[in-house]
Amino acid sequence: MNWDDLRIFLAVARAGQIARAAPLVGMDATTVGRRLRRLEQALGRTLFQAQRDGQHLTEAGDRLLVRAEAMERSMAAIDEREDTGGLIRVSASEGFGTWFLAHHLGGFARLHPGLTIDLVATSGLLSPSKRETDVALLLARPRQGPLVTRKLADYGLRIFAAKHYLEKAPPLATRDDLKRHTLLGYIPGYIFAPELDYLDDIAPGLQPRLRSSSINAQYRMTASGAGIAVLPCFIGDSDPTLVRVLPEIALRRSFWLATHQDAQASPRIRRFVDWVSALAAEHRAGLLGET
């Protein structure tokens, strides 16, 4: 029996459902279920009884909960003594960093007043493999390097336009109509991740006339009425002057979280990883554009 298994047990006991606990520990539900079965086999006890509304603790589970919470308090006290201060550097894509993470990062800082947090929100992501950053929030899962990775969240993209642009623009009812409009998008040579090259997913041959390497600049141009653009829903939906057009067109991409494998021993980095994972799970609907 190890602490990671107990941490998963605590998450399920508190959430009441494996599906709800999974994002809190940065795993999928299948992995959480497998780890719980491993813990039960190690203890020779059934810890949860599955019922229609989720997982309920058995008597053995109740007894383990008391012990696990005591261990958690002891480890938290050790962590606080050993790692009450320090620096965390977080690298994130420009859009996610400035529109989502920056909005919530003050909450993490208030929880951990001894920590200093650097948020590097640019298109040129830093590398945890090279120790340029402690935590990287990426648009694709890295395939190389001594890294620990997990999917952080899926997010949705839609086509947005300013209301005052549409009042004067040609009709926009079909994909073919897009060719009659000013499209905003990325400069081909400055697309730093292939996941951002999505115009062909909408209609082959679409080309932007107003181009920028910055998603923030693309949003500003859209809001000014310069044209229409594909924007993440967490950006476009946040501006009441913008509306979705061609609602049948919906794209989905993912954010991935990566840390150097040696960083797993750092309590302050674990705190941030747990916090941002829970935050993304809490705001899942908004990220997907389902609110």
Side-chain angles (χ1 to χ4, degrees):
M1 182 173 62
N2 61 49
W3 170 244
D4 281 341
D5 288 341
L6 287 177
R7 183 171 63 92
I8 293 168
F9 164 78
L10 283 170
V12 176
R14 290 163 177 168
Q17 291 183 357
I18 288 177
R20 290 180 182 173
L24 300 177
V25 293
M27 300 176 181
D28 57 55
T30 301
T31 301
V32 170
R34 184 172 65 250
R35 296 283 291 270
L36 283 180
R37 289 192 295 274
R38 185 176 77 176
L39 179 61
E40 289 180 327
Q41 291 170 358
L43 296 173
R45 299 285 188 275
T46 299
L47 302 174
F48 291 98
Q49 191 73 38
Q51 298 185 15
R52 292 181 61 184
D53 60 344
Q55 277 66 40
H56 291 251
L57 288 167
T58 63
E59 290 185 9
D62 281 327
R63 291 193 296 270
L64 181 60
L65 179 62
V66 174
R67 295 168 54 197
E69 288 183 331
M71 291 177 62
E72 182 184 48
R73 289 191 295 271
S74 297
M75 293 189 71
I78 293 171
D79 285 351
E80 290 298 325
R81 289 194 297 269
E82 292 183 349
D83 202 17
T84 56
L87 170 69
I88 299 177
R89 174 163 291 177
V90 180
S91 174
S93 62
E94 181 192 22
F96 187 72
T98 59
W99 283 89
F100 181 81
L101 193 56
H103 182 71
H104 298 282
L105 200 56
F108 179 77
R110 286 189 291 273
L111 289 172
H112 305 287
L115 292 176
T116 298
I117 303 104
D118 286 351
L119 174 59
V120 182
T122 67
S123 57
L125 294 169
L126 303 182
S127 170
S129 294
K130 299 176 182 178
R131 302 300 185 95
E132 296 171 336
T133 186
D134 296 307
V135 180
L137 304 175
L138 308 165
L139 292 168
R141 185 173 190 171
R143 300 297 180 183
Q144 296 180 338
L147 301 175
V148 177
T149 64
R150 66 174 73 170
K151 182 188 281 191
L152 180 66
D154 291 328
Y155 69 100
L157 302 104
R158 299 287 187 127
I159 303 175
F160 287 89
K163 296 175 184 178
H164 63 276
Y165 168 84
L166 293 174
E167 291 171 357
K168 301 176 182 179
L172 183 53
T174 69
R175 294 174 193 250
D176 286 341
D177 292 337
L178 290 170
K179 299 175 183 178
R180 304 166 60 195
H181 289 260
T182 300
L183 296 182
L184 315 178
Y186 285 98
I187 303 168
Y190 290 85
I191 299 177
F192 67 92
E195 289 75 15
L196 300 179
D197 191 11
Y198 35 60
L199 286 183
D200 272 346
D201 292 346
I202 296 172
L206 282 182
Q207 295 292 330
R209 285 189 55 220
L210 289 175
R211 311 187 301 188
S212 175
S213 61
S214 165
I215 191 64
N216 288 337
Q218 292 174 41
Y219 156 71
R220 294 293 182 186
M221 288 190 286
T222 306
S224 75
I228 62 177
V230 176
L231 298 174
C233 293
F234 59 83
I235 296 179
D237 289 339
S238 68
D239 187 337
T241 70
L242 301 185
V243 294
R244 298 180 182 184
V245 297
L246 300 179
E248 71 277 11
I249 298 175
L251 305 178
R252 182 177 288 199
R253 297 291 189 268
S254 300
F255 290 118
W256 291 83
L257 188 153
T259 60
H260 194 283
Q261 62 186 16
D262 293 344
Q264 298 299 294
S266 169
R268 65 179 182 274
I269 295 175
R270 289 203 308 269
R271 290 187 194 118
F272 180 83
V273 168
D274 290 345
W275 173 81
V276 76
S277 298
L279 181 70
E282 178 185 354
H283 291 273
R284 176 182 181 277
L287 289 168
L288 289 172
E290 295 177 347
T291 55

